[in-house]
Amino acid sequence: MILASQLVFFACIWITLRPDAFAASEIEKSHQRCSSSMKRTRKQEARMRKDDSTNWLRQSEQLLHIQDHDFAMRPGFGGSPVPVGIDVQVESIDSISEVNMDFTMTFYLRHYWKDERLSFPSTTNKSMTFDHRLIKKIWVPDIFFVHSKRSFIHDTIVENLMLRVYPDGNVLFSLRITVSATCFMDFSRFPLDTQNCSLELESYAYNEEDLMLYWKQGNKSLNTDEHISLSQFFIEDFSASSGFAFYSSTGWYNRLFINFVLRRHIFFFVLQTYFPVMLMVMLLWVSFWIDRRAVPARVSLGITMVLTMSTILSGMSASMPQVSYIKAVDVYLWVSSLFVLLSVIEYAAVNYGSNSTRQARFSFSKSGSFCRLAGMYNIDRVQAMAFNGCYHDSKTEMDQTSFSLHSEEDSVRERSTGSPSPDSSQIKRRQFLRGHVGRIILENNHVIDTYSRIFFPIVYIIFNLFYWGIYV
């Protein structure tokens, strides 16, 4: 009984699920038929488009009599050179690289010439426009860019080429191209410089006996977009010119020039380089107002400024080409670094003078009484040196001794008489100061800081006036 019930259960399930299985198989078969029909439709459409394109190209070739002529040769071969007019529409200057000394430009290049082999009858005298497919079958000028590093014709969505033929055989060939070319830059005045760059066009195979290259409308043949701008440069001028180029093996060639003048924006470098360097130099002058006994404060400030200047110098060198001459920014940075170094040396001199003065005062306190006695009793200076190391050079120390003796006599006289000597103390003091200015400056070495507070700013201001007056 149990077995029979199980068989009945499975039979019911099979009867229930069988129509769904049939339906699924039918749906899958219909999908396969639809996909195969869609593939056939796509193939047929592609074949039809190809046939239409082939028919259109064949009709164009028949209209222009392309099969009847040899377009591997230039128009009028064997006769006078074929004139080829050029005009350019500059779309953008994409980049200027100082490190690589090059620029990248995108523009529309248009060629004009006449090829009577392409003339066709027309009652309306209207031109016919073709795309890149027909260009490969006719003769076009072989223009290349002198000193170019890389170039490409834009191909979004299709190749940006256009051919327009007029009934009388005049041809217009236009393309949109991006070129990276060399610009020979002079950085002797960087970043206060002005650069002159040019893009040069020339025929590669045809010299002046076969092809005459010229600007179609003179200087008006070069047009630029009004919205062209660069981050670091201001475009001062665009101009067109022409000339000749000579090659010893092939002769003279016509050459066209697209010239443009770039003046660098100085405001960026003032904020990024000049102004920080000025602040570093001026900040170090604060050390002239710090007490000379505060050695850690003044030394740490000087070392910090030296390291900061080194960082600015290395950063500027990394962003510039390695040229063999001195740039304007190098002059400013190195002179500013010299001011920083002199400020550090100034404190070294002050500190050394302070130590010498302290040692001299300490030794004088030990041997002062003996030296004073030696001066009073005219003891020979060699004997004095032998006794206690005090050296009487000349009348300088004798003046000092006499000054001290007279001071003592004046004080005794004041105590006894009660009235000061009117002339003797002032005269002796003046004579002593006149003969010992150097010693006073040494003992009062903070005077060096006082003079440095005035000397360093004045000299740095004079340097800035000369620098900006010469380079700007």
Side-chain angles (χ1 to χ4, degrees), residues 179-364:
V179 179
S180 296
T182 301
C183 179
F184 300 101
M185 301 181 182
D186 180 16
F187 296 107
S188 59
R189 301 178 66 88
F190 176 87
L192 306 168
D193 56 335
T194 300
Q195 303 295 340
N196 297 305
C197 299
S198 63
L199 183 63
E200 304 173 10
L201 293 78
E202 185 180 311
S203 173
Y204 188 82
Y206 300 101
N207 58 21
E208 63 173 355
E209 296 179 356
D210 292 321
L211 188 144
M212 184 179 67
L213 203 62
Y214 68 99
W215 290 110
K216 178 69 174 175
Q217 298 176 351
N219 290 331
K220 295 182 180 179
S221 300
L222 180 60
N223 301 305
T224 60
D225 195 335
E226 296 179 356
H227 303 289
I228 294 179
S229 62
L230 296 171
S231 59
Q232 292 190 20
F233 291 94
F234 173 73
I235 303 175
E236 287 190 339
D237 184 37
F238 261 106
S239 62
S241 61
S242 59
F244 292 91
F246 176 75
Y247 301 92
S248 58
S249 57
T250 54
W252 291 90
Y253 290 78
N254 293 109
R255 181 176 291 184
L256 303 181
F257 300 88
I258 302 174
N259 306 308
F260 54 98
V261 180
L262 302 174
R263 180 168 54 85
R264 197 181 303 273
H265 292 302
I266 185 59
F267 186 71
F268 170 80
F269 291 93
V270 168
L271 292 180
Q272 297 295 323
T273 303
Y274 287 99
F275 189 65
V277 171
M278 287 181 186
L279 288 181
M280 295 302 104
V281 176
M282 290 189 225
L283 184 60
L284 193 55
W285 297 342
V286 177
S287 64
F288 300 150
W289 275 265
I290 299 177
D291 190 354
R292 64 183 182 277
R293 291 169 294 184
V295 177
R298 295 188 66 163
V299 171
S300 61
L301 182 61
I303 296 301
T304 302
M305 295 302 104
V306 170
L307 294 177
T308 304
M309 291 297 298
S310 302
T311 303
I312 295 175
L313 282 170
S314 60
M316 182 61 65
S317 300
S319 61
M320 290 296 299
Q322 304 300 317
V323 294
S324 59
Y325 48 85
I326 297 176
K327 303 181 289 293
V329 68
D330 295 335
V331 174
Y332 196 88
L333 291 179
W334 282 109
V335 172
S336 299
S337 300
L338 180 62
F339 272 89
V340 172
L341 181 62
L342 290 177
S343 300
V344 176
I345 294 175
E346 184 270 346
Y347 177 64
V350 170
N351 190 50
Y352 178 78
S354 299
N355 292 334
S356 300
T357 303
R358 284 195 294 269
Q359 292 177 1
R361 287 176 178 174
F362 179 72
S363 61
F364 181 77

Side-chain angles (χ1 to χ4, degrees), residues 64-130:
L64 299 176
H65 308 287
I66 291 179
Q67 301 297 334
D68 300 336
H69 302 281
D70 184 10
F71 282 94
M73 305 176 69
R74 69 172 180 86
F77 179 77
S80 59
V82 54
V84 177
I86 298 291
D87 71 40
V88 171
Q89 174 73 38
V90 178
E91 181 179 342
S92 64
I93 297 179
D94 302 321
S95 63
I96 305 289
S97 175
E98 292 90 353
V99 177
N100 299 322
M101 287 193 181
D102 61 12
F103 64 92
T104 303
M105 180 188 294
T106 301
F107 56 94
Y108 298 93
L109 178 62
R110 302 184 183 96
H111 311 69
Y112 302 87
W113 74 94
K114 186 174 184 179
D115 192 348
E116 294 181 353
R117 297 172 295 182
L118 297 176
S119 59
F120 60 91
S122 175
T123 57
T124 59
N125 198 27
K126 290 184 178 180
S127 62
M128 296 186 63
T129 303
F130 307 93

